[in-house]
Amino acid sequence: FPKADRAGRFVTLASGVEGDTDALPIRAAARVLGATLKAGESADYALTPDRHAYLVASLGAVEVNGVRLDTRDGAAITGETAVRVTALEDAEVVMVDAA
C-alpha cells in the first residue's frame, strides 16, 4: 500500500463494509486502516458507540485521545465517538474498526 496515499490521514486498506470499494475485500464487518503522520500532525476518525477499535503505533510515538503510545504499543478503544491521533514524532499507525 503506497505511503503517500495515507499521508496525514486514515486510509481504508481492507474492508468488509459495504461501499468501501477501493479497499482489499475481507469477510468481516470491519475495516483495517492506516495513516502516516509527520511530527505534530493529527488524524481523526469517527466511531459510533457500538463500534470498537484497536490501534497500534507501528512506528514512532503518538498520542491517541490524550494517551501516549510508543512504537509497537496498542490501544483498545471502546465507547468513543472519535479517535484523534497526534504524532509526537514521525509515525505510522494501523487501526482496526470492528463491531
Side-chain angles (χ1 to χ4, degrees):
F1 299 102
K3 288 185 181 185
D5 291 350
R6 58 186 179 199
R9 64 188 181 99
F10 281 104
V11 173
T12 303
L13 305 174
S15 178
V17 177
E18 189 174 329
D20 287 349
T21 57
D22 291 339
L24 179 69
I26 57 176
R27 293 176 193 245
R31 284 187 178 106
V32 178
L33 305 116
T36 302
L37 303 169
K38 295 199 179 293
E41 284 186 326
S42 294
D44 296 310
Y45 185 78
L47 285 173
T48 56
D50 61 328
R51 305 287 295 174
H52 308 281
Y54 186 75
L55 186 139
V56 174
S58 55
L59 178 68
V62 297
E63 193 172 86
V64 180
N65 289 5
V67 177
R68 182 187 173 107
L69 298 179
D70 291 308
T71 300
R72 295 185 304 273
D73 286 346
I77 303 162
T78 189
E80 297 285 339
T81 57
V83 176
R84 172 166 272 215
V85 179
T86 302
L88 302 175
E89 55 191 52
D90 290 355
E92 292 183 21
V93 297
V94 176
M95 182 168 63
V96 175
D97 167 0

